[in-house]
Amino acid sequence: MKLKNIPPIPAVLLAIISVQGGAAIAKGIFPFLGATGTATIRIVLSAIILGLAYRPNLKTITATQWKLVIPYGVVLGAMNLSFYLSLAKIPLGLAVTLEFIGPLALAVSTSRKALDFLWAIMASAGIFLIAPWGENSNIDLIGASLALLAGAFWAAYIIIGGKVSKTMESGDAVSIGMAVASCVVLPFAFADGGLAQVNAKLLTLGLAIALLSSAIPYTLEMSALKHIPAKTFSILMSLEPAVAAICGILFLSEHLSIVEWLAIALVVVASLGASLVKKQTKNEVADPNIEI
């Protein structure tokens, strides 16, 4: 069965599993390439795949479009890099949960509904439970901060991506944006020295990560969005922190405490609630290429 022929809801769920499976594989090669090297391999290979798939004509890109797509790519690269750096220090499920705070805060801050304050309180409670308050906490403060930073970049990505989507074809935007993101992360990878360890096996794993984290979910989500409302898509995407936690258990043996599961549940419910009450406007565009 071709990816585009998969029914919309299973397609979104498969896309979520694909992204988190890719993140789990990525974390598995951190000991060899480091977080920075792994992020760079993934982004560069994704840029190559998307460039070959969409073949954007750079000569037709206007100055106005460049002014949008370059910041779009910069934020995309920074988001990926900070997320991968957080993964090196905290479990996958917690990293995704903290990262989710960014778009959730954006959704709540742009709403005037009183009910959205409830979702903000629930998400804040989730952060409170995860936060490394005491010396005995097993959550790394730097890792948690990097995940929150990735969430802030995610929110910026949504804002800029919405503007880009109104001026460029999605395929051109994401392929050029990923190329710009490659330019952002490459200097960090060279400085870190992780790329010096690249061999055929690690490059193959990097290709798998690029496919699972970008090419496959992007195709699945773009296909699904043609058949389901953006609101339904957002509701399904709210399950991502829970799926990430499960992938962390299955692939990385990252078992979480009851308190950490409760924190994830609070953020998931807050995200679901915000999606359910969200008012859709006719000009709203749901960008599926948000995930790391």
Side-chain angles (χ1 to χ4, degrees):
M1 178 184 290
K2 294 182 179 180
L3 292 179
K4 292 183 179 181
N5 294 333
I6 297 176
I9 292 179
V12 176
L13 295 176
L14 284 173
I16 294 172
I17 295 170
S18 178
V19 167
Q20 299 310 325
I25 295 174
K27 188 166 184 174
I29 63 175
F30 280 5
F32 307 100
L33 297 179
T36 303
T38 304
T40 300
I41 289 292
R42 178 250 157 142
I43 292 172
V44 171
L45 290 177
S46 295
I48 294 172
I49 292 170
L50 292 168
L52 291 173
Y54 293 104
R55 298 182 181 277
N57 187 349
L58 300 182
K59 294 180 180 180
T60 64
I61 306 299
T62 66
T64 300
Q65 290 172 327
W66 279 117
K67 288 178 181 179
L68 289 173
V69 78
I70 289 177
Y72 172 81
V74 170
V75 170
L76 178 59
M79 177 179 66
N80 278 273
L81 183 58
S82 54
F83 177 74
Y84 272 54
L85 288 171
S86 75
L87 279 186
K89 296 180 177 295
I90 61 175
L92 174 61
L94 297 186
V96 173
T97 300
L98 289 170
E99 183 200 23
F100 238 70
I101 299 300
L104 178 56
L106 177 63
V108 172
S109 66
T110 56
S111 173
R112 296 180 180 178
K113 296 181 179 179
L115 188 58
D116 280 324
F117 287 103
L118 172 62
W119 315 132
I121 292 171
M122 293 184 70
S124 299
I127 296 176
F128 181 87
L129 290 175
I130 295 176
W133 298 112
E135 295 181 359
N136 296 326
S137 173
N138 60 349
I139 303 300
D140 186 273
L141 177 59
I142 295 177
S145 299
L146 286 166
L148 289 171
L149 178 62
F153 283 127
W154 188 353
Y157 175 85
I158 293 171
I159 295 171
I160 300 172
K163 296 178 180 178
V164 172
S165 68
K166 296 176 181 178
T167 62
M168 297 179 66
E169 292 292 331
S170 60
D172 289 347
V174 72
S175 55
I176 296 173
M178 196 66 78
V180 173
S182 298
C183 296
V184 171
V185 299
L186 274 169
F188 292 95
F190 286 128
D192 188 55
L195 294 182
Q197 307 301 319
V198 173
N199 54 36
K201 182 179 179 180
L202 292 174
L203 200 59
T204 300
L205 288 172
L207 180 60
I209 295 167
L211 289 170
L212 288 170
S213 299
S214 294
I216 292 175
Y218 182 73
T219 302
L220 287 169
E221 291 165 354
M222 286 296 289
S223 175
L225 279 168
K226 294 178 181 178
H227 304 287
I228 59 175
K231 182 176 182 178
T232 303
F233 177 84
S234 299
I235 292 169
L236 292 171
M237 291 299 291
S238 299
L239 302 174
E240 198 143 14
V243 174
I246 294 170
C247 286
I249 294 172
L250 294 177
F251 302 122
L252 300 170
S253 299
E254 294 180 338
H255 296 281
L256 305 177
S257 68
I258 293 177
V259 172
E260 289 165 349
W261 274 109
L262 177 59
I264 291 172
L266 286 169
V267 173
V268 168
V269 172
S271 183
L272 281 170
S275 299
L276 285 168
V277 301
K278 185 178 180 182
K279 182 179 179 181
Q280 303 292 320
T281 65
K282 66 178 182 179
N283 293 323
E284 182 179 0
V285 177
D287 192 328
N289 197 38
I290 291 172
E291 183 48 61
I292 305 296

